[in-house]
mmCIF file of all heavy atoms in Angstrom:
data_model
loop_
_atom_site.group_PDB
_atom_site.id
_atom_site.type_symbol
_atom_site.label_atom_id
_atom_site.label_comp_id
_atom_site.label_asym_id
_atom_site.label_seq_id
_atom_site.Cartn_x
_atom_site.Cartn_y
_atom_site.Cartn_z
ATOM 1 N N ASP A 1 65.532 -46.616 -6.171
ATOM 2 C CA ASP A 1 66.075 -47.304 -5.001
ATOM 3 C C ASP A 1 65.066 -48.312 -4.454
ATOM 4 O O ASP A 1 63.976 -47.937 -4.084
ATOM 5 C CB ASP A 1 66.511 -46.275 -3.963
ATOM 6 C CG ASP A 1 67.155 -46.904 -2.706
ATOM 7 O OD1 ASP A 1 67.340 -48.101 -2.754
ATOM 8 O OD2 ASP A 1 67.417 -46.178 -1.809
ATOM 9 N N ILE A 2 65.489 -49.533 -4.436
ATOM 10 C CA ILE A 2 64.551 -50.619 -3.916
ATOM 11 C C ILE A 2 64.174 -50.354 -2.446
ATOM 12 O O ILE A 2 63.166 -50.862 -1.973
ATOM 13 C CB ILE A 2 65.196 -52.000 -4.099
ATOM 14 C CG1 ILE A 2 64.186 -53.135 -3.812
ATOM 15 C CG2 ILE A 2 66.392 -52.152 -3.219
ATOM 16 C CD1 ILE A 2 63.076 -53.167 -4.825
ATOM 17 N N PHE A 3 65.059 -49.605 -1.743
ATOM 18 C CA PHE A 3 64.767 -49.380 -0.329
ATOM 19 C C PHE A 3 64.052 -48.025 -0.091
ATOM 20 O O PHE A 3 63.901 -47.608 1.039
ATOM 21 C CB PHE A 3 66.116 -49.369 0.435
ATOM 22 C CG PHE A 3 66.922 -50.643 0.280
ATOM 23 C CD1 PHE A 3 68.182 -50.588 -0.233
ATOM 24 C CD2 PHE A 3 66.366 -51.831 0.727
ATOM 25 C CE1 PHE A 3 68.919 -51.806 -0.350
ATOM 26 C CE2 PHE A 3 67.060 -53.028 0.556
ATOM 27 C CZ PHE A 3 68.379 -52.989 0.078
ATOM 28 N N GLY A 4 63.517 -47.403 -1.171
ATOM 29 C CA GLY A 4 62.841 -46.202 -1.079
ATOM 30 C C GLY A 4 61.354 -46.331 -1.015
ATOM 31 O O GLY A 4 60.802 -47.379 -0.731
ATOM 32 N N THR A 5 60.608 -45.304 -1.362
ATOM 33 C CA THR A 5 59.185 -45.232 -1.343
ATOM 34 C C THR A 5 58.612 -45.561 -2.717
ATOM 35 O O THR A 5 59.293 -45.318 -3.723
ATOM 36 C CB THR A 5 58.602 -43.934 -0.825
ATOM 37 O OG1 THR A 5 59.104 -42.908 -1.660
ATOM 38 C CG2 THR A 5 59.073 -43.680 0.629
ATOM 39 N N ALA A 6 57.372 -46.065 -2.712
ATOM 40 C CA ALA A 6 56.792 -46.529 -3.997
ATOM 41 C C ALA A 6 55.482 -45.792 -4.312
ATOM 42 O O ALA A 6 54.883 -46.040 -5.365
ATOM 43 C CB ALA A 6 56.497 -48.026 -3.927
ATOM 44 N N GLY A 7 55.009 -44.923 -3.429
ATOM 45 C CA GLY A 7 53.779 -44.227 -3.644
ATOM 46 C C GLY A 7 53.273 -43.562 -2.394
ATOM 47 O O GLY A 7 53.971 -43.550 -1.402
ATOM 48 N N THR A 8 52.049 -43.006 -2.459
ATOM 49 C CA THR A 8 51.490 -42.300 -1.334
ATOM 50 C C THR A 8 50.164 -43.012 -0.944
ATOM 51 O O THR A 8 49.340 -43.267 -1.820
ATOM 52 C CB THR A 8 51.250 -40.851 -1.575
ATOM 53 O OG1 THR A 8 52.555 -40.300 -1.914
ATOM 54 C CG2 THR A 8 50.724 -40.125 -0.403
ATOM 55 N N GLY A 9 49.930 -43.240 0.357
ATOM 56 C CA GLY A 9 48.728 -43.873 0.809
ATOM 57 C C GLY A 9 47.610 -42.875 0.830
ATOM 58 O O GLY A 9 47.815 -41.651 0.666
ATOM 59 N N ASN A 10 46.370 -43.343 1.126
ATOM 60 C CA ASN A 10 45.245 -42.453 1.200
ATOM 61 C C ASN A 10 45.324 -41.453 2.396
ATOM 62 O O ASN A 10 44.504 -40.496 2.554
ATOM 63 C CB ASN A 10 43.911 -43.289 1.383
ATOM 64 C CG ASN A 10 43.584 -43.991 0.050
ATOM 65 O OD1 ASN A 10 44.083 -43.625 -1.004
ATOM 66 N ND2 ASN A 10 42.771 -44.984 0.144
ATOM 67 N N ASP A 11 46.284 -41.797 3.258
ATOM 68 C CA ASP A 11 46.502 -40.895 4.467
ATOM 69 C C ASP A 11 47.462 -39.773 4.105
ATOM 70 O O ASP A 11 47.820 -39.007 4.975
ATOM 71 C CB ASP A 11 47.007 -41.709 5.678
ATOM 72 C CG ASP A 11 48.231 -42.552 5.318
ATOM 73 O OD1 ASP A 11 48.744 -42.460 4.158
ATOM 74 O OD2 ASP A 11 48.723 -43.285 6.186
ATOM 75 N N GLY A 12 47.944 -39.745 2.882
ATOM 76 C CA GLY A 12 48.813 -38.659 2.440
ATOM 77 C C GLY A 12 50.333 -38.848 2.788
ATOM 78 O O GLY A 12 51.175 -38.029 2.606
ATOM 79 N N ILE A 13 50.601 -40.080 3.362
ATOM 80 C CA ILE A 13 51.988 -40.398 3.793
ATOM 81 C C ILE A 13 52.554 -41.436 2.837
ATOM 82 O O ILE A 13 51.896 -42.411 2.463
ATOM 83 C CB ILE A 13 51.962 -40.976 5.230
ATOM 84 C CG1 ILE A 13 51.415 -39.942 6.206
ATOM 85 C CG2 ILE A 13 53.307 -41.386 5.644
ATOM 86 C CD1 ILE A 13 51.219 -40.488 7.580
ATOM 87 N N PRO A 14 53.863 -41.246 2.413
ATOM 88 C CA PRO A 14 54.474 -42.196 1.486
ATOM 89 C C PRO A 14 54.552 -43.630 2.086
ATOM 90 O O PRO A 14 54.667 -43.776 3.339
ATOM 91 C CB PRO A 14 55.864 -41.635 1.261
ATOM 92 C CG PRO A 14 55.700 -40.204 1.656
ATOM 93 C CD PRO A 14 54.706 -40.098 2.711
ATOM 94 N N TYR A 15 54.483 -44.621 1.235
ATOM 95 C CA TYR A 15 54.691 -45.937 1.698
ATOM 96 C C TYR A 15 55.931 -46.556 0.955
ATOM 97 O O TYR A 15 56.290 -46.118 -0.120
ATOM 98 C CB TYR A 15 53.447 -46.861 1.484
ATOM 99 C CG TYR A 15 53.029 -47.013 0.074
ATOM 100 C CD1 TYR A 15 53.592 -48.003 -0.775
ATOM 101 C CD2 TYR A 15 51.999 -46.211 -0.428
ATOM 102 C CE1 TYR A 15 53.137 -48.103 -2.135
ATOM 103 C CE2 TYR A 15 51.515 -46.388 -1.744
ATOM 104 C CZ TYR A 15 52.135 -47.338 -2.561
ATOM 105 O OH TYR A 15 51.697 -47.415 -3.851
ATOM 106 N N MET A 16 56.603 -47.502 1.603
ATOM 107 C CA MET A 16 57.819 -48.052 1.096
ATOM 108 C C MET A 16 57.593 -49.248 0.098
ATOM 109 O O MET A 16 56.592 -49.931 0.204
ATOM 110 C CB MET A 16 58.732 -48.491 2.232
ATOM 111 C CG MET A 16 58.960 -47.333 3.252
ATOM 112 S SD MET A 16 60.388 -47.689 4.344
ATOM 113 C CE MET A 16 61.730 -47.283 3.225
ATOM 114 N N THR A 17 58.559 -49.380 -0.822
ATOM 115 C CA THR A 17 58.509 -50.468 -1.815
ATOM 116 C C THR A 17 58.511 -51.808 -1.091
ATOM 117 O O THR A 17 57.839 -52.746 -1.456
ATOM 118 C CB THR A 17 59.623 -50.349 -2.742
ATOM 119 O OG1 THR A 17 59.660 -49.087 -3.384
ATOM 120 C CG2 THR A 17 59.563 -51.448 -3.781
ATOM 121 N N ILE A 18 59.342 -51.895 -0.013
ATOM 122 C CA ILE A 18 59.478 -53.151 0.741
ATOM 123 C C ILE A 18 58.694 -53.068 2.034
ATOM 124 O O ILE A 18 58.860 -52.044 2.779
ATOM 125 C CB ILE A 18 60.944 -53.448 1.097
ATOM 126 C CG1 ILE A 18 61.781 -53.607 -0.241
ATOM 127 C CG2 ILE A 18 61.087 -54.717 1.885
ATOM 128 C CD1 ILE A 18 63.225 -53.818 -0.016
ATOM 129 N N SER A 19 57.923 -54.034 2.305
ATOM 130 C CA SER A 19 57.187 -54.061 3.607
ATOM 131 C C SER A 19 56.995 -55.498 3.989
ATOM 132 O O SER A 19 57.195 -56.467 3.176
ATOM 133 C CB SER A 19 55.828 -53.359 3.527
ATOM 134 O OG SER A 19 54.965 -54.012 2.610
ATOM 135 N N TYR A 20 56.619 -55.705 5.247
ATOM 136 C CA TYR A 20 56.416 -57.107 5.741
ATOM 137 C C TYR A 20 54.998 -57.252 6.301
ATOM 138 O O TYR A 20 54.334 -56.306 6.755
ATOM 139 C CB TYR A 20 57.453 -57.404 6.912
ATOM 140 C CG TYR A 20 58.817 -57.444 6.493
ATOM 141 C CD1 TYR A 20 59.620 -56.275 6.306
ATOM 142 C CD2 TYR A 20 59.475 -58.665 6.176
ATOM 143 C CE1 TYR A 20 60.922 -56.373 5.894
ATOM 144 C CE2 TYR A 20 60.764 -58.731 5.748
ATOM 145 C CZ TYR A 20 61.495 -57.557 5.634
ATOM 146 O OH TYR A 20 62.817 -57.608 5.208
ATOM 147 N N ALA A 21 54.495 -58.488 6.257
ATOM 148 C CA ALA A 21 53.142 -58.773 6.813
ATOM 149 C C ALA A 21 53.152 -58.602 8.355
ATOM 150 O O ALA A 21 52.170 -58.331 8.941
ATOM 151 C CB ALA A 21 52.710 -60.182 6.412
ATOM 152 N N ASN A 22 54.363 -58.881 8.954
ATOM 153 C CA ASN A 22 54.418 -58.818 10.412
ATOM 154 C C ASN A 22 55.913 -58.557 10.842
ATOM 155 O O ASN A 22 56.821 -58.642 10.088
ATOM 156 C CB ASN A 22 53.888 -60.090 11.071
ATOM 157 C CG ASN A 22 54.476 -61.310 10.440
ATOM 158 O OD1 ASN A 22 55.661 -61.558 10.404
ATOM 159 N ND2 ASN A 22 53.602 -62.214 9.911
ATOM 160 N N GLY A 23 56.056 -58.287 12.142
ATOM 161 C CA GLY A 23 57.447 -58.022 12.637
ATOM 162 C C GLY A 23 57.450 -56.730 13.500
ATOM 163 O O GLY A 23 56.487 -56.037 13.682
ATOM 164 N N LEU A 24 58.671 -56.545 14.075
ATOM 165 C CA LEU A 24 58.814 -55.394 15.049
ATOM 166 C C LEU A 24 58.901 -54.052 14.247
ATOM 167 O O LEU A 24 58.750 -53.041 14.879
ATOM 168 C CB LEU A 24 60.147 -55.613 15.833
ATOM 169 C CG LEU A 24 60.107 -56.749 16.840
ATOM 170 C CD1 LEU A 24 61.424 -56.902 17.520
ATOM 171 C CD2 LEU A 24 58.995 -56.476 17.867
ATOM 172 N N GLY A 25 59.037 -54.112 12.992
ATOM 173 C CA GLY A 25 58.979 -52.901 12.184
ATOM 174 C C GLY A 25 57.612 -52.131 12.374
ATOM 175 O O GLY A 25 57.532 -50.940 12.114
ATOM 176 N N PHE A 26 56.624 -52.874 12.791
ATOM 177 C CA PHE A 26 55.285 -52.270 13.070
ATOM 178 C C PHE A 26 55.427 -51.084 14.018
ATOM 179 O O PHE A 26 54.833 -49.983 13.790
ATOM 180 C CB PHE A 26 54.376 -53.328 13.707
ATOM 181 C CG PHE A 26 53.061 -52.799 14.204
ATOM 182 C CD1 PHE A 26 51.938 -52.734 13.311
ATOM 183 C CD2 PHE A 26 52.924 -52.365 15.512
ATOM 184 C CE1 PHE A 26 50.703 -52.214 13.762
ATOM 185 C CE2 PHE A 26 51.660 -51.866 15.946
ATOM 186 C CZ PHE A 26 50.632 -51.832 15.098
ATOM 187 N N TYR A 27 56.231 -51.247 15.071
ATOM 188 C CA TYR A 27 56.268 -50.215 16.111
ATOM 189 C C TYR A 27 57.010 -48.965 15.617
ATOM 190 O O TYR A 27 56.734 -47.854 15.961
ATOM 191 C CB TYR A 27 57.037 -50.730 17.307
ATOM 192 C CG TYR A 27 56.287 -51.845 18.045
ATOM 193 C CD1 TYR A 27 56.732 -53.153 17.958
ATOM 194 C CD2 TYR A 27 55.159 -51.591 18.777
ATOM 195 C CE1 TYR A 27 56.042 -54.151 18.587
ATOM 196 C CE2 TYR A 27 54.505 -52.589 19.396
ATOM 197 C CZ TYR A 27 54.871 -53.887 19.259
ATOM 198 O OH TYR A 27 54.228 -54.890 19.950
ATOM 199 N N LYS A 28 57.930 -49.120 14.659
ATOM 200 C CA LYS A 28 58.640 -47.975 14.089
ATOM 201 C C LYS A 28 57.779 -47.142 13.181
ATOM 202 O O LYS A 28 57.941 -45.926 13.055
ATOM 203 C CB LYS A 28 59.885 -48.483 13.374
ATOM 204 C CG LYS A 28 60.803 -47.284 12.860
ATOM 205 C CD LYS A 28 62.094 -47.838 12.360
ATOM 206 C CE LYS A 28 63.058 -46.669 12.043
ATOM 207 N NZ LYS A 28 63.530 -45.962 13.210
ATOM 208 N N HIS A 29 56.895 -47.847 12.457
ATOM 209 C CA HIS A 29 56.110 -47.184 11.457
ATOM 210 C C HIS A 29 54.677 -46.767 11.819
ATOM 211 O O HIS A 29 53.869 -46.406 10.994
ATOM 212 C CB HIS A 29 56.147 -48.026 10.155
ATOM 213 C CG HIS A 29 57.530 -48.089 9.571
ATOM 214 N ND1 HIS A 29 57.976 -47.225 8.592
ATOM 215 C CD2 HIS A 29 58.566 -48.920 9.767
ATOM 216 C CE1 HIS A 29 59.151 -47.546 8.244
ATOM 217 N NE2 HIS A 29 59.620 -48.526 9.026
ATOM 218 N N VAL A 30 54.380 -47.017 13.071
ATOM 219 C CA VAL A 30 53.025 -46.557 13.580
ATOM 220 C C VAL A 30 53.238 -45.614 14.688
ATOM 221 O O VAL A 30 53.902 -45.874 15.661
ATOM 222 C CB VAL A 30 52.209 -47.760 14.067
ATOM 223 C CG1 VAL A 30 50.948 -47.295 14.741
ATOM 224 C CG2 VAL A 30 51.877 -48.743 12.907
ATOM 225 N N ASP A 31 52.712 -44.398 14.537
ATOM 226 C CA ASP A 31 52.854 -43.367 15.569
ATOM 227 C C ASP A 31 51.902 -43.627 16.749
ATOM 228 O O ASP A 31 50.651 -43.601 16.550
ATOM 229 C CB ASP A 31 52.508 -41.936 14.963
ATOM 230 C CG ASP A 31 52.839 -40.871 15.873
ATOM 231 O OD1 ASP A 31 52.626 -40.942 17.057
ATOM 232 O OD2 ASP A 31 53.302 -39.755 15.359
ATOM 233 N N PRO A 32 52.395 -43.990 17.892
ATOM 234 C CA PRO A 32 51.481 -44.401 18.985
ATOM 235 C C PRO A 32 50.608 -43.202 19.514
ATOM 236 O O PRO A 32 49.576 -43.473 20.061
ATOM 237 C CB PRO A 32 52.468 -44.898 20.084
ATOM 238 C CG PRO A 32 53.787 -44.235 19.742
ATOM 239 C CD PRO A 32 53.830 -44.103 18.301
ATOM 240 N N VAL A 33 51.127 -42.017 19.367
ATOM 241 C CA VAL A 33 50.368 -40.837 19.837
ATOM 242 C C VAL A 33 49.222 -40.562 18.850
ATOM 243 O O VAL A 33 48.032 -40.362 19.277
ATOM 244 C CB VAL A 33 51.282 -39.581 19.906
ATOM 245 C CG1 VAL A 33 50.513 -38.414 20.336
ATOM 246 C CG2 VAL A 33 52.415 -39.890 20.918
ATOM 247 N N LYS A 34 49.514 -40.481 17.583
ATOM 248 C CA LYS A 34 48.463 -40.138 16.626
ATOM 249 C C LYS A 34 47.642 -41.334 16.242
ATOM 250 O O LYS A 34 46.584 -41.211 15.613
ATOM 251 C CB LYS A 34 49.119 -39.542 15.386
ATOM 252 C CG LYS A 34 49.889 -38.244 15.632
ATOM 253 C CD LYS A 34 50.568 -37.765 14.273
ATOM 254 C CE LYS A 34 51.369 -36.545 14.524
ATOM 255 N NZ LYS A 34 52.038 -36.084 13.253
ATOM 256 N N GLY A 35 48.151 -42.559 16.511
ATOM 257 C CA GLY A 35 47.431 -43.750 16.103
ATOM 258 C C GLY A 35 47.400 -43.916 14.600
ATOM 259 O O GLY A 35 46.476 -44.478 14.099
ATOM 260 N N ALA A 36 48.402 -43.465 13.948
ATOM 261 C CA ALA A 36 48.444 -43.444 12.508
ATOM 262 C C ALA A 36 49.875 -43.782 12.045
ATOM 263 O O ALA A 36 50.813 -43.895 12.882
ATOM 264 C CB ALA A 36 48.068 -42.087 11.907
ATOM 265 N N ARG A 37 50.052 -43.947 10.805
ATOM 266 C CA ARG A 37 51.414 -44.258 10.215
ATOM 267 C C ARG A 37 52.360 -43.104 10.438
ATOM 268 O O ARG A 37 51.946 -41.928 10.315
ATOM 269 C CB ARG A 37 51.324 -44.607 8.730
ATOM 270 C CG ARG A 37 50.634 -45.935 8.401
ATOM 271 C CD ARG A 37 51.024 -46.450 7.047
ATOM 272 N NE ARG A 37 50.670 -45.395 6.036
ATOM 273 C CZ ARG A 37 51.425 -45.025 5.012
ATOM 274 N NH1 ARG A 37 52.723 -45.556 4.946
ATOM 275 N NH2 ARG A 37 51.100 -44.142 4.143
ATOM 276 N N ALA A 38 53.564 -43.491 10.764
ATOM 277 C CA ALA A 38 54.580 -42.464 10.891
ATOM 278 C C ALA A 38 55.118 -42.115 9.446
ATOM 279 O O ALA A 38 54.998 -43.009 8.535
ATOM 280 C CB ALA A 38 55.737 -43.042 11.778
ATOM 281 N N ASP A 39 55.654 -40.957 9.298
ATOM 282 C CA ASP A 39 56.177 -40.538 7.979
ATOM 283 C C ASP A 39 57.617 -40.883 7.869
ATOM 284 O O ASP A 39 58.509 -40.382 8.581
ATOM 285 C CB ASP A 39 55.967 -39.053 7.863
ATOM 286 C CG ASP A 39 56.186 -38.494 6.467
ATOM 287 O OD1 ASP A 39 56.916 -39.138 5.751
ATOM 288 O OD2 ASP A 39 55.571 -37.503 6.108
ATOM 289 N N VAL A 40 57.961 -41.727 6.896
ATOM 290 C CA VAL A 40 59.343 -42.192 6.718
ATOM 291 C C VAL A 40 60.310 -41.047 6.343
ATOM 292 O O VAL A 40 61.456 -41.056 6.678
ATOM 293 C CB VAL A 40 59.430 -43.352 5.768
ATOM 294 C CG1 VAL A 40 59.076 -42.759 4.318
ATOM 295 C CG2 VAL A 40 60.803 -44.000 5.738
ATOM 296 N N ARG A 41 59.729 -39.987 5.815
ATOM 297 C CA ARG A 41 60.522 -38.812 5.444
ATOM 298 C C ARG A 41 61.065 -38.124 6.700
ATOM 299 O O ARG A 41 62.064 -37.335 6.635
ATOM 300 C CB ARG A 41 59.702 -37.828 4.621
ATOM 301 C CG ARG A 41 59.312 -38.409 3.257
ATOM 302 C CD ARG A 41 58.336 -37.463 2.515
ATOM 303 N NE ARG A 41 57.068 -37.417 3.298
ATOM 304 C CZ ARG A 41 56.033 -36.697 2.834
ATOM 305 N NH1 ARG A 41 56.042 -36.098 1.609
ATOM 306 N NH2 ARG A 41 54.901 -36.606 3.538
ATOM 307 N N GLU A 42 60.473 -38.380 7.851
ATOM 308 C CA GLU A 42 60.901 -37.711 9.061
ATOM 309 C C GLU A 42 61.791 -38.590 9.918
ATOM 310 O O GLU A 42 62.040 -38.291 11.073
ATOM 311 C CB GLU A 42 59.653 -37.230 9.839
ATOM 312 C CG GLU A 42 58.765 -36.248 9.098
ATOM 313 C CD GLU A 42 57.491 -35.936 9.816
ATOM 314 O OE1 GLU A 42 57.308 -36.541 10.896
ATOM 315 O OE2 GLU A 42 56.708 -35.152 9.317
ATOM 316 N N MET A 43 62.152 -39.732 9.356
ATOM 317 C CA MET A 43 62.962 -40.718 10.147
ATOM 318 C C MET A 43 64.451 -40.483 9.758
ATOM 319 O O MET A 43 64.904 -40.782 8.643
ATOM 320 C CB MET A 43 62.589 -42.155 9.878
ATOM 321 C CG MET A 43 61.153 -42.434 10.223
ATOM 322 S SD MET A 43 60.671 -44.154 9.859
ATOM 323 C CE MET A 43 58.948 -44.160 10.365
ATOM 324 N N PRO A 44 65.286 -40.018 10.662
ATOM 325 C CA PRO A 44 66.694 -39.686 10.334
ATOM 326 C C PRO A 44 67.525 -40.919 10.026
ATOM 327 O O PRO A 44 68.585 -40.830 9.385
ATOM 328 C CB PRO A 44 67.232 -38.998 11.554
ATOM 329 C CG PRO A 44 66.302 -39.486 12.651
ATOM 330 C CD PRO A 44 64.993 -39.680 12.027
ATOM 331 N N ASP A 45 67.051 -42.110 10.423
ATOM 332 C CA ASP A 45 67.844 -43.389 10.245
ATOM 333 C C ASP A 45 67.325 -44.126 8.967
ATOM 334 O O ASP A 45 67.682 -45.308 8.807
ATOM 335 C CB ASP A 45 67.828 -44.226 11.431
ATOM 336 C CG ASP A 45 66.382 -44.697 11.760
ATOM 337 O OD1 ASP A 45 65.429 -44.030 11.336
ATOM 338 O OD2 ASP A 45 66.280 -45.688 12.567
ATOM 339 N N ALA A 46 66.504 -43.541 8.153
ATOM 340 C CA ALA A 46 65.895 -44.287 7.047
ATOM 341 C C ALA A 46 66.900 -44.912 6.071
ATOM 342 O O ALA A 46 66.552 -45.870 5.388
ATOM 343 C CB ALA A 46 64.870 -43.423 6.308
ATOM 344 N N ASN A 47 68.060 -44.309 5.968
ATOM 345 C CA ASN A 47 69.109 -44.787 5.094
ATOM 346 C C ASN A 47 70.132 -45.723 5.763
ATOM 347 O O ASN A 47 71.136 -46.163 5.119
ATOM 348 C CB ASN A 47 69.815 -43.616 4.355
ATOM 349 C CG ASN A 47 68.882 -42.909 3.440
ATOM 350 O OD1 ASN A 47 68.068 -43.468 2.766
ATOM 351 N ND2 ASN A 47 68.969 -41.622 3.470
ATOM 352 N N ASP A 48 69.911 -46.010 7.032
ATOM 353 C CA ASP A 48 70.898 -46.869 7.752
ATOM 354 C C ASP A 48 70.745 -48.306 7.405
ATOM 355 O O ASP A 48 69.617 -48.771 7.097
ATOM 356 C CB ASP A 48 70.692 -46.648 9.270
ATOM 357 C CG ASP A 48 71.167 -45.253 9.770
ATOM 358 O OD1 ASP A 48 71.729 -44.530 8.956
ATOM 359 O OD2 ASP A 48 70.883 -44.902 10.947
#
């Protein structure tokens, strides 16, 4: 699936095949509490 994940980063969290250099998607994929990437597997709207 082109909209799925393509591998796992050094932080142990999957990364997506499609990404952008910039945009508001930054806020969705960065956990402000942990200061780290959010896990797309835990996002209930990932297929929306």
Side-chain angles (χ1 to χ4, degrees):
D1 181 4
I2 190 68
F3 302 120
T5 58
T8 302
N10 290 342
D11 54 4
I13 299 173
Y15 60 85
M16 305 197 76
T17 304
I18 299 175
S19 63
Y20 292 85
N22 49 57
L24 290 177
F26 172 88
Y27 295 107
K28 185 174 187 66
H29 292 268
V30 174
D31 188 323
V33 177
K34 299 178 181 178
R37 287 197 307 132
D39 193 332
V40 69
R41 293 171 298 185
E42 299 173 0
M43 298 179 184
D45 62 341
N47 293 319
D48 292 352

